[in-house]
Amino acid sequence: MLYTFSQADYGFVELKQHLEHCQAQDALLLWQDGVLLALKYPDLLQQAKAPCYVLDMDLTARNLNEMFNKISSVKVISLTELVSLTEQFYPQLGL
């Protein structure tokens, strides 16, 4: 399953509950304002069982590219790579 997070206003407990449902065969995508979650809760995302991705154009739109060079728990991907993720991980759950 592909879990997509497009908002940044999740509290720690709420996000932790969502991440507890993720398994190693799933994937997490932070996009739109959801990319800010990696800055708010880097340790929580690092503990997630599923790999975590952020969309590069959303980082660029928010001028966050430099900050994400230091966050090893997430992988920056392009829109083309996102299409591949949606093909690989199904269904998608938008949160």
Side-chain angles (χ1 to χ4, degrees):
M1 180 174 288
L2 177 61
Y3 293 87
T4 61
F5 295 88
S6 63
Q7 300 175 17
D9 58 352
Y10 295 98
F12 179 85
V13 173
E14 182 182 9
L15 183 60
K16 184 177 180 181
Q17 289 172 342
H18 288 303
L19 295 180
E20 287 173 349
H21 289 82
C22 298
Q23 301 299 316
Q25 68 271 16
D26 297 327
L28 305 168
L29 173 69
L30 308 177
W31 68 308
Q32 296 178 353
D33 283 343
V35 299
L36 299 171
L37 292 172
L39 299 174
K40 283 175 70 174
Y41 307 115
D43 294 334
L44 192 57
L45 290 170
Q46 189 170 20
Q47 295 170 10
K49 296 175 189 170
C52 185
Y53 303 93
V54 294
L55 198 53
D56 63 353
M57 62 188 222
D58 289 325
L59 293 180
T60 301
R62 289 156 183 81
N63 198 26
L64 297 173
N65 296 70
E66 292 288 324
M67 296 177 110
F68 273 79
N69 290 337
K70 301 173 186 174
I71 300 175
S72 62
S73 60
V74 296
K75 180 181 179 198
V76 179
I77 61 170
S78 68
L79 196 53
T80 303
E81 291 169 304
L82 172 59
V83 172
S84 296
L85 271 183
T86 61
E87 293 172 344
Q88 182 180 0
F89 297 97
Y90 183 83
Q92 176 185 346
L93 179 61
L95 298 163

